[in-house]
Each structure stands twice: as structure tokens, then as C-alpha cells.
Amino acid sequence: MSKVIVVGAGINGVTAAIELKKRGHKVLLVDPGPLPHPLAASTDISKVVRAAYGADEDYTALAEQATRLWRKWNKEFGAQLYHEVGAMFVRQQQMQPGDFEYESFKILKRRDHKIERVNSTQLWKRFPAWNLELYRDGVLELEAGYVESSRAVSTLIRHAESLGIELREGGRFSRLDEDDHRVKGIVIDDGHRITGNIVVMAVGAWTPYLLPFTKKFFRATGQPVFHLRPRQPELFAPENFPVFGADITTTGYYGFPVNRDGVVKIANHGPGREMSPESPKRVVTPEDERNLREFLSSTFPALADAPIVYSRICMYCDTHDGHFWIARDPEREGLVIAAGDCGHGFKFAPVLGGIIADAVEEKPNQILQKFRWRPNVRAGSGTDVARSRGNL
Ligand SMILES: Cc1cc2nc3c(=O)[nH]c(=O)nc-3n(C[C@H](O)[C@H](O)[C@H](O)COP(=O)(O)OP(=O)(O)OC[C@H]3O[C@@H](n4cnc5c(N)ncnc54)[C@H](O)[C@@H]3O)c2cc1C
């Protein structure tokens, strides 16, 4: 049994803490708070859950496991965190081999998912908010939807505390406490040292700033998110308006049906702007808003002038190849980094803790090969990989 310090209580940190505690470790979870942290990537009303991952079958398989567990969590926690409203990924052109949508369709079909091809006027009529003249083809994944992400993090934090995990809300990691390539614990910003055998850094977009030696591996980028209040909410009800990606690999836009507060969330996944999560530049720009309005007028005319009730810049922690980074540092014994979410990690919450705990315990796990320590991956490849996978 080790004493593990998990730094960061977003979805990676809290799921890792829970799994490590269940495996018998003594666990301390540290975050400046308040939790869920308002600046954390995990903190928002919704995140997409889908198994459509283009040609990348590893993520499809992982999403299948996660989706089953989201259903189980809904029951276990007595709260509907996961809403299985379906997700559609559609194009303005006909799907072609190599497209994210086509490859997703092919793999989901082969793996016996419940899917429909959305390529006839008749089918499009089921989705009246869409500009039917613009979009013509795509895949509707029925066993997909979204999770209420902030609510999921709050639920898991409470669960973590009930399991006896020590939570230090108000603790801000300052640096690693290291000695001769061995991590002995952490130092928090009041200078206080906390000892531990293993430190798991799960600080998302803060990673390259808190661990400057990781700047070579990670890039923190801001992406705009909008919450709108539709004037005709019935058009955006889940049965008429599943989660969507609208030609996601070219427009970057995706979104969610109206929630119980009457809000439709629309966001853009793109190259983003590099910045620290605590930068004063972390605000939506007039250009972001102009781009959104243009997209809405062409795609969802009924949302074109809907009031924006909230907006934020949400931070990805990008890796150069678009894959997560969950690995032990070969140069600092006792350090594990669980980051590099590239904007699509939340859906995997129910399986993330197990993957991170396997990295901590050095247990064989095939997917850890994909998420391994890989300093030689070059800049530039990530955006393409992420685009071919759709992201979000
Ligand atoms: C715009 C946007 C849209 C997304 N959409 C989707 C989606 O639709 N589907 C999906 O599956 N995924 C999505 N994601 C990705 C998902 O949100 C992330 O993969 C996930 O939230 C990352 O969790 P995390 O725990 O790594 O980081 P975070 O949630 O950012 O948590 C990091 C934690 O570290 C803490 N921290 C910071 N500094 C310190 C310090 N000094 N000491 C201690 N703790 C510290 C923070 O307070 C925070 O709580 C999206 C991300 C973004 C930005």
C-alpha cells in the first residue's frame, strides 16, 4: 500500500483517487477549489458521450465500456448524470471513405451499435431545427448522448469523501518535492510539504505551467463555449435535437439539446488559442461570437439571434498526437502524469480511474501503450489526428 497524492480534482483526479482508494492505497486529493473548480475543463453543464471515433477503434471500444458504466452510475448514484439522447454527426456532403462520419458509421455498424444513416429528406424532417438544405448525410448514434459534467464531478467528490479519501480543498500545488530523481511528495503554495510515495498530477491544462518540463509535450489551448436560450425551445428538445457535430471536422461546431434550465450549449472545437488557464486573456472574443452567429444563421436559423446567457473559454490540454498521456515519468520515480485530454476525455470518466491506477501500479493494460510516455512525438501531428477522430 502506498500513500498517493493526487493533485487536481477534475474528472481525472477524482476518478483516479476513487480507484486507488478502492485498491487499498491511502489517498490524498489536493485542489485549490472551490470544487468543482470554475476554471477546470470538467466544469460545465454537459459533455458529449459517443462511441463514434472515426477509424480509431481503440477509443470506440473504450467508449463502449464507459457508456455501460455511465448507465450503472446513474442507478448507483440515484441521479441522471448521463442522458442517452443520441448523437448525430452529419455532413454537408455525402459521406466518403476517410471521413470521420463515414469511418465512424462503418466501425459502429461492424460492432453492432444501434445507428441510423441520416441521408434522406424524410429522416431529416425529424430534426426541424436544422437547415435541411445544407446538411445531407451522416450517422445517428442512438446509444450516445451527454453527461452533466459538473454534476458528475460533484457527485464523485462526495463519493470520494464517503470512501475515506482525504480531500484538501484549498491546497494549491506549488512544486514537486524531489530528491535525486525520486519524487518524495509535493510542496503547496504556503510552503508546506506533503509527503507521499506516489504523486499523480491530474491538473489538465495547468500541467505545462505547473510542471514546466512538460511544455515539450503539452499545449494548453482555449476553446469558446456558449450557452443560448432558444425562443422556441421545443425545436431543441432531445427527441428533435440530439447531441450533434455539424461537419465537425471542417466547422468545429457541436452542441447539445435544451436542458432543464432551457439552455442549448453550442461550442467550437478548433486549433484554439494557446494560453494559461489563469490568463486574463481567457475570454470569448467578439470574433468568436461573430463566428458563432454565422454558423447559427446557416445551420439553425431559429437560434440565429437567441440570447447568449453564458460563455466561457474552456481549456484543452493538447498533446502533439492527440492521444491522452497517462504514464509514469521515467526520469522522476514516483511521478505519474494523467493529462493530455485533447478535449475529449470526460466521456471516459467511468474507466479513467482504472487506467490511471494501472499506470500507478504498473499493471499491464493495453491501452496504456497508446497513452505512454512519448517525448519523441513531434508537434503538428495532433490536430490532424484529433480532426479525423472528430474530438469532443
Ligand atoms: C470546450 C471543451 C469541451 C469539451 N467537450 C468534451 C465532450 O464533449 N466530451 C468529452 O468527453 N470531453 C470533452 N472535453 C474534455 C474534458 O472536459 C476533459 O477531458 C476533462 O474535463 C479533463 O479533466 P482533467 O481532470 O484532466 O482536467 P480539469 O477538469 O481541468 O481539472 C484540473 C484540476 O486541476 C486543478 N488544479 C489547477 N491548479 C492546481 C494546483 N496548483 N494545485 C492543485 N490542483 C490544481 C484545477 O482546480 C482542476 O480542478 C471538453 C473540454 C473542453 C475544454
Side-chain angles (χ1 to χ4, degrees), residues 50-57 60 87-91 94-119 123 137-142 388:
R50 43 115 192 179
Y53 257 91
D56 196 328
E57 209 161 341
T60 299
M88 57 199 266
F89 297 96
V90 296
R91 291 182 69 78
Q94 196 178 340
M95 297 197 290
Q96 303 282 349
D99 295 342
F100 162 69
E101 293 79 2
Y102 180 94
E103 297 301 327
S104 300
F105 184 83
K106 197 170 87 180
I107 285 184
L108 294 176
K109 193 163 178 210
R110 177 155 53 69
R111 295 177 74 94
D112 284 333
H113 283 242
K114 289 189 191 148
I115 52 169
E116 286 179 43
R117 186 161 181 175
V118 195
N119 63 348
L123 278 170
D137 200 2
V139 51
L140 171 62
E141 190 188 337
L142 297 167
S388 67

Side-chain angles (χ1 to χ4, degrees), residues 14-183:
V14 70
T15 55
I18 289 171
E19 182 63 25
L20 287 161
K21 178 72 185 173
K22 286 184 178 165
R23 294 190 189 187
H25 300 282
K26 189 167 186 305
V27 182
L28 172 68
L29 181 59
V30 180
D31 196 291
L35 292 171
H37 196 286
L39 296 178
S42 306
T43 308
D44 202 345
I45 53 174
S46 51
K47 301 281 172 181
V48 180
V49 175
R50 43 115 192 179
Y53 257 91
D56 196 328
E57 209 161 341
D58 290 339
Y59 286 115
T60 299
L62 212 55
E64 286 167 358
Q65 288 175 39
T67 306
R68 281 193 289 275
L69 291 168
W70 276 116
R71 294 184 193 123
K72 200 162 158 234
W73 277 9
N74 275 356
K75 288 199 188 121
E76 279 175 13
F77 293 121
Q80 196 183 6
L81 303 173
Y82 171 48
H83 298 254
E84 200 157 275
V85 297
M88 57 199 266
F89 297 96
V90 296
R91 291 182 69 78
Q92 298 182 12
Q93 306 297 329
Q94 196 178 340
M95 297 197 290
Q96 303 282 349
D99 295 342
F100 162 69
E101 293 79 2
Y102 180 94
E103 297 301 327
S104 300
F105 184 83
K106 197 170 87 180
I107 285 184
L108 294 176
K109 193 163 178 210
R110 177 155 53 69
R111 295 177 74 94
D112 284 333
H113 283 242
K114 289 189 191 148
I115 52 169
E116 286 179 43
R117 186 161 181 175
V118 195
N119 63 348
S120 74
T121 316
Q122 204 51 32
L123 278 170
W124 273 107
K125 285 196 174 138
R126 277 161 53 192
F127 311 115
W130 285 79
N131 176 355
L132 306 190
E133 287 178 7
L134 207 54
Y135 292 86
R136 72 176 57 160
D137 200 2
V139 51
L140 171 62
E141 190 188 337
L142 297 167
E143 293 163 310
Y146 70 92
V147 283
E148 294 183 45
S149 49
S150 292
R151 212 169 142 223
V153 171
S154 306
T155 304
L156 292 167
I157 297 274
R158 281 196 301 276
H159 183 55
E161 287 184 293
S162 77
L163 292 175
I165 289 168
E166 191 188 337
L167 175 64
R168 185 147 326 171
E169 192 172 344
R172 187 181 292 272
F173 169 96
S174 168
R175 62 180 174 84
L176 295 169
D177 186 10
E178 292 179 81
D179 186 16
D180 194 23
H181 302 288
R182 171 94 188 96
V183 169

Side-chain angles (χ1 to χ4, degrees), residues 341-385:
D341 72 284
C342 299
H344 69 122
F346 204 94
K347 67 183 68 60
F348 300 112
V351 295
L352 278 174
I355 297 171
I356 300 169
D358 285 348
V360 168
E361 295 182 332
E362 297 183 286
K363 279 207 174 139
N365 180 334
Q366 218 186 334
I367 200 74
L368 282 172
Q369 174 58 19
K370 193 162 189 144
F371 306 154
R372 71 192 180 282
W373 199 270
R374 44 192 196 285
N376 297 326
V377 172
R378 293 278 159 258
S381 46
T383 315
D384 297 342
V385 175

